[in-house]
């Protein structure tokens, strides 16, 4: 048994070594480009190795597109994504242990299927250019390509501008918007019956067309103004519109507002326009076909503005140049105005005296003042003016000059022990320093025993108290600043008393007073007169009486004189030094006492039957009025009144002289009165003064009564009387006619009683009834008397009225 198995194994081994064979699963394969395929090579026998060879005879090594999977007697070749170059004969070779080789082969045929390579849709072209619609299709064999548009084959016979090129692309000459649409590229391989197509959308882009409504705009700066530019565009596709300025694209902001509307309209609004906003703005429209630009121009008018004007300081007698610079659009004209006198100067002007001249150019004006004077000091106005508006600024021309003394009073008077102020008043620019000198010696600010210096702005006061003759004389004031120095000399002289007044005159002489007038003295002694002393006395008397004038008035009234008396008068002037000499004496005599002048009278009606006479005192004749004698009587115009006048006696009323009125009463109504008034003093009676007046008619009682009442009180009285009348009528109707308001009330009250009471009982009860009716005025006061009227009804139907005085 064992021997048999060994024998069989030996026979098998020998058979294998003798029969090495190789086979491939396929012997011919067709493969399209891009497809993948694998082949299996199988060896029978005992191969040592299995290897594959490509059509070029090169051993195939594993790569990305070709993979090998080999076992002992089996090998698989995989070809990924086949290409045309992969076509040919592939061999599989087997080698045994003794070097014997056996091989098998397979034929690989590769063809290209219809393939559209990277055909874009849509394909865009620019209007007017020659368009080439690309249809890149490959196959093997070469395909046949046909183009269609709107379901119709494109041929040169029917479409002169359309042509199919050798590379199968479609050419359109001078393409327009009308050529837009979907074009079909159809390819076919007749040998395989293969056909395919692709639809290509053709888009014709039209370059932007841009227009503006208005190319130039005007605006005024700094007035919160806005301006809007409008740009109209068309094109395909719709252009993108942008706005540019100075090469920079404008973005929406508070100043720039950009609005895009349907229909290709774009608007740019520039807000709060300033001077810098002037210039050109560009509207730019862009799409795939190109771009176009249009410019608009903004001219900004700027209100004139003065940018440079400074205060100027000049030295008196020198030249001053004042410069004024202004800007604006358009450039303004500049003029000058001197505030002191309103005189104006414009470019090219020259004043009559040749001192003022104006030159200007490009917004700058220079006012030149030659030989500057103090009267040029002050404000100058520069005005820049254009058709847009104007601007004005002011400057101050300050003039520096040497000190100038303001006070020409250089002589001062005083006397020993009397202090005097010597004032040195100076005007200067810049302010001056001042000092005092006496006989070439400087008086210090602290002063000496009898001098003091008081300083203030523009003033220095030297106070001198002369102690002896040496203190009188010359004093020097020196004023100095950086422009120059000036000196002024003052003289302190000894004062004297005034000379005597003269031309003494007496006027308005009466019993008790006289008016004295005189002329001022020729010399006041160097010191102002303080007052005048008037002395008077009776002739023959030695005692003078003094009267001072009010301040330095040269008129004095002497009072309290005796009548019919001779007086002497003299006048002297008094100053700080003392009293001067008296004038010549003048005599006068007062007027003797006489009767008073007639009094003046004015009248005024008094209350009731009285009349008030006002008494105005006139000249009392030198003695007080003792009394006024007032006589009065009635007077008339017709014969009857004349007869009565003869019989009428004068009535006399004595009024003290101190009174200023006389009250006449009682008088008669509707009567004319004649009055005679006489004033009396101790000397006698004045001439009478005559006066007439008329007493009016006696006032009506009713009118008097109602004149004191208001309208409301009168209306209240009328309503009360009407109410009383209605009550009386209602009571009469109740008893006589059994009707009225009172009857209705009675029936209502009696209806609650039994029916057997009857009408007679009702009447009896009604007869026993009575009413108390108070009469009222407005404001709640009872009219006439505060009583209650009691009305009783008796059995005989008579009415009895009684006043109830129970309240009294």
């Amino acid at each position: 048994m064992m021997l048999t198995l060994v024998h069989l194994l030996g026979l098998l081994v020998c058979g294998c070594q003798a029969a090495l064979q190789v086979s491939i699963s396929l012997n011919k394969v067709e493969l399209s480009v891009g497809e993948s395929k694998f082949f299996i090579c199988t060896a029978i026998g005992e191969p040592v190795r299995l290897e594959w060879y490509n059509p070029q005879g090169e051993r195939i090594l594993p790569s990305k597109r070709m993979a090998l999977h080999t076992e002992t007697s089996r090998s698989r070749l995989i070809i990924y994504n086949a290409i045309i170059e992969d076509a040919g004969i592939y061999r599989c070779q087997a080698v045994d242990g003794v070097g014997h080789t056996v091989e098998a082969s397979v034929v690989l045929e590769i063809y290209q299927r219809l393939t559209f390579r990277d055909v874009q849709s849509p394909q865009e072209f620019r209007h007017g250019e020659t368009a080439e619609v690309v249809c890149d299709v490959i196959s093997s064999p070469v395909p046949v390509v046909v183009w269609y548009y709107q379901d119709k084959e494109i041929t040169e016979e029917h479409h002169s501008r359309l042509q199919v090129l050798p590379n199968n692309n479609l050419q359109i000459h001078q393409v327009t918007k009308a050529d837009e649409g979907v074009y079909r590229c159809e390819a076919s391989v007749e040998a395989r019956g293969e056909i395919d197509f692709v639809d290509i959308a053709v888009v014709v882009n039209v370059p932007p067309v841009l227009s503006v409504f208005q190319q130039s705009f005007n605006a005024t700066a700094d007035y919160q103004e806005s301006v809007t530019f409008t740009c109209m565009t068309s094109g395909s596709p719709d252009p993108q519109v942008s706005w540019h300025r100075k090469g920079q694209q404008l973005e929406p902001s508070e100043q720039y507002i950009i609005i895009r509307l349907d229909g290709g309209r774009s608007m740019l609004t520039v807000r709060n326009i300033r001077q810098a906003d002037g210039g050109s703005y560009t509207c730019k429209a862009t799409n795939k076909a190109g771009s176009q630009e249009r410019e608009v121009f903004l001219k900004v008018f700027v209100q004139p503005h003065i940018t440079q004007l400074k205060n100027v300081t000049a030295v008196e007698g020198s030249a001053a140049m004042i410069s004024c610079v202004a800007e604006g659009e358009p450039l303004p004209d500049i003029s000058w105005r001197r505030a002191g006198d309103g005189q104006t100067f414009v470019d090219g002007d020259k004043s009559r005296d040749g001192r003022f001249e104006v030159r200007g150019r490009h917004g700058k004006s220079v006012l030149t003042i030659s030989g500057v004077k103090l009267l040029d000091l002050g404000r100058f106005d520069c005005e820049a003016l254009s058709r847009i508006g104007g601007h004005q600024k002011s400057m101050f021309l300050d003039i520096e000059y040497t000190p100038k003394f303001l006070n020409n009073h250089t002589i001062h008077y005083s006397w020993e022990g009397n202090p005097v102020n010597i004032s040195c008043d100076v005007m200067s620019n810049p302010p001056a320093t001042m000092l005092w000198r006496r006989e070439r010696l400087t008086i210090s600010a602290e002063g000496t025993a009898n001098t003091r210096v008081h300083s203030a702005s523009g003033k220095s006061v030297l106070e001198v108290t002369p102690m002896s003759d040496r203190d009188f004389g010359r004093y020097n004031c020196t004023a100095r600043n950086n422009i120059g120095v000036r000196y002024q000399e003052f003289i302190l002289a000894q004062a004297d008393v005034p000379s005597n007044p003269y031309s003494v005159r007496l006027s308005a002489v009466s019993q008790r007073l006289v008016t004295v007038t005189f002329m001022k003295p020729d010399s006041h002694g160097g010191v102002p007169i303080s007052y005048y002393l008037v002395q008077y006395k009776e002739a023959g008397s030695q005692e003078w009486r003094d009267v001072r004038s009010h301040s330095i008035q040269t008129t004095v009234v002497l009072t309290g004189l005796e009548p019919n008396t001779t007086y002497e008068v003299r006048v002297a002037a008094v100053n700080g030094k003392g009293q001067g000499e008296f004038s010549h004496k003048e005599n006068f005599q007062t007027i003797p006492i006489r009767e008073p002048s007639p009094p003046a009278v004015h009248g005024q009606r008094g209350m009731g039957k009285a009349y008030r006479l006002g008494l105005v005192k006139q000249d009392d004749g030198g003695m007080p009025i003792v009394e006024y004698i007032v006589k009065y009587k009635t007077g008339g115009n017709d014969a009857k009144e004349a007869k009565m006048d003869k019989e009428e006696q004068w009535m006399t009323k004595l009024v003290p002289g101190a009174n200023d009125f006389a009250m006449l009463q009682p008088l008669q109504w509707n009567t004319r009165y004649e009055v005679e008034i006489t004033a009396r003093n101790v000397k006698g009676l004045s001439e009478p003064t005559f006066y007439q007046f008329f007493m009016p008619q006696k006032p009506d009682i009713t009118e008097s009564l109602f004149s004191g009442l208001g309208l409301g009180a009168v209306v209240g009285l009328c309503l009360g009387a009407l109410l009383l009348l209605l009550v009386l009528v209602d009571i009469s109707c109740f008893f006589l006619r059994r009707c009225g308001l009172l009857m209705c009330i009675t029936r209502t009250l009696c209806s609650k009683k039994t029916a057997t009471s009857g009408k007679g009982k009702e009447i009896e009860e009604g007869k026993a009834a009575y009413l108390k009716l108070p009469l009222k005025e407005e404001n709640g006061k009872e009219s006439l008397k505060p009583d209650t009227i009691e009305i009783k009804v008796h059995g005989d139907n008579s009415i009895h009225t009684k006043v109830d005085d129970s309240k009294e």
Side-chain angles (χ1 to χ4, degrees):
M1 185 70 177
M2 193 67 160
L3 292 172
T4 302
L5 292 172
V6 172
H7 180 68
L8 290 172
L9 290 170
L11 290 175
L12 290 172
V13 172
C14 292
C16 290
Q17 293 177 348
L20 180 62
Q21 299 179 3
V22 177
S23 62
I24 298 176
S25 57
L26 299 172
N27 56 9
K28 186 176 181 180
V29 175
E30 287 187 355
L31 187 65
S32 67
V33 174
E35 290 185 340
S36 300
K37 201 73 174 178
F38 68 88
F39 306 98
I40 298 176
C41 177
T42 304
I44 298 175
E46 295 182 356
V48 176
R49 63 178 183 274
L50 288 175
E51 294 178 341
W52 287 89
Y53 291 89
N54 62 23
Q56 288 77 27
E58 298 172 347
R59 187 166 68 90
I60 299 174
L61 298 176
S63 64
K64 290 183 179 180
R65 285 200 318 106
M66 292 188 181
L68 293 173
H69 300 281
T70 302
E71 299 176 359
T72 303
S73 58
R74 180 185 175 93
S75 179
R76 184 170 66 172
L77 172 63
I78 303 174
I79 300 176
Y80 295 104
N81 300 323
I83 59 176
I84 293 297
E85 289 76 9
D86 292 336
I89 299 174
Y90 289 82
R91 295 178 295 116
C92 177
Q93 188 180 78
V95 180
D96 59 11
V98 294
H100 181 71
T101 61
V102 180
E103 63 181 26
S105 62
V106 59
V107 178
L108 177 61
E109 294 181 355
I110 296 179
Y111 67 92
Q112 176 66 54
R113 293 180 61 186
L114 281 174
T115 302
F116 295 94
R117 296 189 298 183
D118 298 328
V119 177
Q120 301 292 328
S121 181
Q123 295 186 27
E124 300 183 12
F125 304 96
R126 192 173 186 271
H127 177 84
E129 69 179 3
T130 298
E132 185 175 337
V133 186
V134 177
C135 181
D136 187 7
V137 57
I138 59 173
S139 73
S140 56
V142 176
V144 177
V145 176
V146 180
W147 285 87
Y148 294 90
Y149 179 62
Q150 296 179 350
D151 297 331
K152 294 180 181 180
E153 184 179 353
I154 297 175
T155 61
E156 293 185 5
E157 297 177 1
H158 299 91
H159 300 83
S160 59
R161 294 188 301 107
L162 279 66
Q163 179 183 2
V164 179
L165 300 176
N167 60 359
N168 295 326
N169 292 342
L170 176 64
Q171 187 181 70
I172 306 175
H173 293 277
Q174 296 181 352
V175 66
T176 65
K177 197 68 176 175
D179 297 325
E180 273 191 345
V182 178
Y183 291 77
R184 175 166 291 185
C185 176
E186 183 179 277
S188 62
V189 179
E190 187 175 353
R192 289 195 301 275
E194 185 178 3
I195 189 169
D196 198 1
F197 68 89
V198 64
D199 288 334
I200 302 173
V202 173
V203 176
V204 178
N205 294 327
V206 180
V209 177
L210 195 152
S211 62
V212 293
F213 292 144
Q214 183 179 343
Q215 288 188 329
S216 180
F217 296 82
N218 295 331
T220 303
D222 304 322
Y223 275 87
Q224 306 297 316
E225 288 188 6
S226 299
V227 67
T228 299
F229 311 125
T230 302
C231 187
M232 293 293 296
T233 62
S234 62
S236 181
D238 292 337
Q240 294 293 320
V241 180
S242 58
W243 291 89
H244 300 260
R245 172 166 164 76
K246 296 180 179 179
Q248 299 294 325
Q249 181 173 342
L250 301 179
E251 299 295 337
S253 63
E254 290 186 2
Q255 185 180 9
Y256 300 114
I257 299 176
I258 301 176
I259 301 176
R260 296 177 177 87
L261 303 175
D262 295 337
R265 178 180 295 184
S266 178
M267 294 187 297
L268 168 65
T269 299
V270 183
R271 300 176 66 248
N272 299 330
I273 291 176
R274 298 166 297 178
Q275 183 177 8
D277 295 326
S280 62
Y281 291 77
T282 302
C283 176
K284 183 176 182 180
T286 305
N287 66 4
K288 295 179 179 179
S291 63
Q292 190 175 25
E293 296 179 354
R294 287 286 185 273
E295 279 192 351
V296 293
F297 187 79
L298 173 61
K299 184 173 182 60
V300 178
F301 294 98
V302 181
Q303 185 175 4
H305 180 72
I306 297 174
T307 59
Q308 181 180 333
L309 182 65
K310 297 180 179 179
N311 295 335
V312 173
T313 300
V315 177
E316 182 182 13
S318 66
M321 298 182 65
I322 310 172
S323 177
C324 181
V325 180
E327 60 183 20
E329 181 61 39
L331 210 59
D333 296 325
I334 299 176
S335 63
W336 295 88
R337 177 180 177 272
R338 184 164 60 183
D341 56 6
Q343 186 175 359
T344 59
F345 307 94
V346 297
D347 186 25
D349 276 0
K350 194 170 185 178
S351 63
R352 292 182 179 179
D353 58 5
R355 294 195 311 112
F356 288 81
E357 187 175 6
V358 178
R359 289 286 181 265
R361 186 181 181 186
H362 300 306
K364 181 177 181 180
S365 178
V366 178
L367 172 62
T368 302
I369 306 175
S370 303
V372 173
K373 299 180 180 180
L374 283 183
L375 57 86
D376 300 325
L377 175 75
R379 193 185 84 225
F380 284 79
D381 301 326
C382 174
E383 183 178 22
L385 190 65
S386 72
R387 67 174 184 269
I388 304 302
H391 185 212
Q392 178 177 306
K393 270 191 174 182
S394 301
M395 58 79 61
F396 189 82
L397 175 60
D398 191 18
I399 299 176
E400 294 183 341
Y401 51 91
T402 57
K404 299 179 185 299
F405 294 102
L406 303 178
N407 194 349
N408 293 325
H409 177 59
T410 59
I411 301 178
H412 296 264
Y413 292 88
S414 185
W415 56 93
E416 294 180 2
N418 179 65
V420 63
N421 291 332
I422 304 175
S423 179
C424 183
D425 298 327
V426 173
M427 179 178 69
S428 64
N429 187 28
T433 58
M434 291 180 285
L435 55 88
W436 289 90
R437 286 189 175 91
R438 165 75 166 152
E439 296 177 352
R440 298 183 181 181
L441 297 177
T442 300
I443 300 175
S444 65
E446 292 77 13
T448 61
N450 62 335
T451 60
R452 287 186 181 181
V453 178
H454 307 279
S455 298
S457 178
K459 174 183 287 191
S460 180
V461 178
L462 175 65
E463 180 184 348
V464 181
T465 305
M467 304 304 293
S468 65
D469 292 343
R470 294 178 54 191
D471 295 326
F472 296 95
R474 302 178 183 274
Y475 290 83
N476 184 277
C477 176
T478 303
R480 183 192 306 272
N481 63 7
N482 57 3
I483 307 300
V485 60
R486 290 289 184 271
Y487 308 94
Q488 187 172 34
E489 188 176 70
F490 296 87
I491 297 175
L492 178 59
Q494 291 194 23
D496 196 359
V497 295
S499 60
N500 62 282
Y502 59 94
S503 297
V504 179
R505 297 286 184 270
L506 302 168
S507 61
V509 181
S510 65
Q511 292 88 355
R512 298 292 181 179
L513 53 85
V514 67
T515 300
V516 182
T517 58
F518 47 87
M519 300 295 291
K520 293 181 179 179
D522 294 331
S523 171
H524 53 65
V527 182
I529 294 175
S530 302
Y531 61 91
Y532 293 97
L533 178 64
V534 179
Q535 289 187 340
Y536 69 98
K537 67 182 183 63
E538 294 180 8
S541 174
Q542 298 300 321
E543 184 179 353
W544 290 92
R545 301 178 189 177
D546 296 340
V547 176
R548 284 191 180 188
S549 67
H550 180 68
S551 183
I552 56 172
Q553 292 183 358
T554 58
T555 299
V556 177
V557 177
L558 303 181
T559 61
L561 303 179
E562 293 296 329
N564 197 23
T565 303
T566 300
Y567 288 91
E568 295 179 357
V569 177
R570 62 183 182 180
V571 183
V574 180
N575 65 6
K577 177 70 185 250
Q579 177 183 315
E581 295 181 356
F582 281 103
S583 65
H584 295 293
K585 292 185 293 184
E586 296 292 338
N587 298 327
F588 70 93
Q589 184 175 1
T590 56
I591 300 174
I593 296 175
R594 60 175 177 79
E595 295 82 3
S597 299
V601 179
H602 60 86
Q604 180 181 1
R605 181 185 170 187
M607 295 295 296
K609 300 172 70 174
Y611 194 88
R612 188 178 188 274
L613 282 177
L615 305 175
V616 181
K617 183 175 67 173
Q618 302 299 310
D619 182 10
D620 60 4
M623 294 298 289
I625 302 295
V626 176
E627 63 182 358
Y628 293 98
I629 303 169
V630 181
K631 295 181 180 181
Y632 61 98
K633 68 175 181 176
T634 59
N637 294 326
D638 54 14
K640 181 179 178 181
E641 291 179 348
K643 183 178 181 181
M644 293 177 60
D645 184 48
K646 293 180 180 179
E647 301 174 357
E648 193 70 36
Q649 297 294 327
W650 286 94
M651 290 175 285
T652 302
K653 186 178 183 68
L654 300 179
V655 179
N659 288 13
D660 59 356
F661 73 93
M663 187 66 71
L664 306 182
Q665 61 181 351
L667 303 176
Q668 299 178 16
W669 298 113
N670 194 25
T671 302
R672 182 169 56 84
Y673 282 88
E674 296 178 358
V675 183
E676 178 184 303
I677 306 100
T678 305
R680 185 176 69 85
N681 63 7
V682 295
K683 186 67 175 177
L685 296 175
S686 69
E687 292 296 325
T689 298
F690 298 98
Y691 183 77
Q692 292 185 356
F693 64 91
F694 185 81
M695 289 295 290
Q697 293 184 357
K698 182 178 181 181
D700 185 67
I701 298 178
T702 305
E703 180 183 354
S704 301
L705 175 62
F706 286 101
S707 63
L709 298 177
L711 179 61
V714 174
V715 173
L717 289 174
C718 294
L719 291 178
L722 180 59
L723 178 61
L724 177 60
L725 180 60
L726 291 176
V727 170
L728 294 175
V729 171
D730 188 68
I731 294 174
S732 300
C733 292
F734 173 78
F735 291 107
L736 299 177
R737 300 290 182 179
R738 291 194 175 97
C739 61
L741 179 61
L742 184 58
M743 188 66 185
C744 294
I745 295 174
T746 304
R747 287 181 178 178
T748 302
L749 295 175
C750 295
S751 62
K752 298 180 181 179
K753 299 183 179 180
T754 59
T756 57
S757 59
K759 294 183 180 179
K761 187 175 182 181
E762 291 178 2
I763 294 175
E764 292 297 324
E765 292 176 353
K767 290 178 180 179
Y770 65 92
L771 296 174
K772 292 185 177 181
L773 302 175
L775 301 181
K776 295 288 183 178
E777 280 188 47
E778 193 176 53
N779 302 327
K781 296 180 181 179
E782 294 173 292
S783 65
L784 301 181
K785 290 181 64 179
D787 299 331
T788 301
I789 298 177
E790 183 179 316
I791 301 175
K792 288 188 177 181
V793 182
H794 298 276
D796 56 358
N797 291 334
S798 62
I799 300 175
H800 177 68
T801 303
K802 178 184 178 182
V803 177
D804 186 1
D805 55 359
S806 60
K807 295 181 181 179
E808 295 181 354

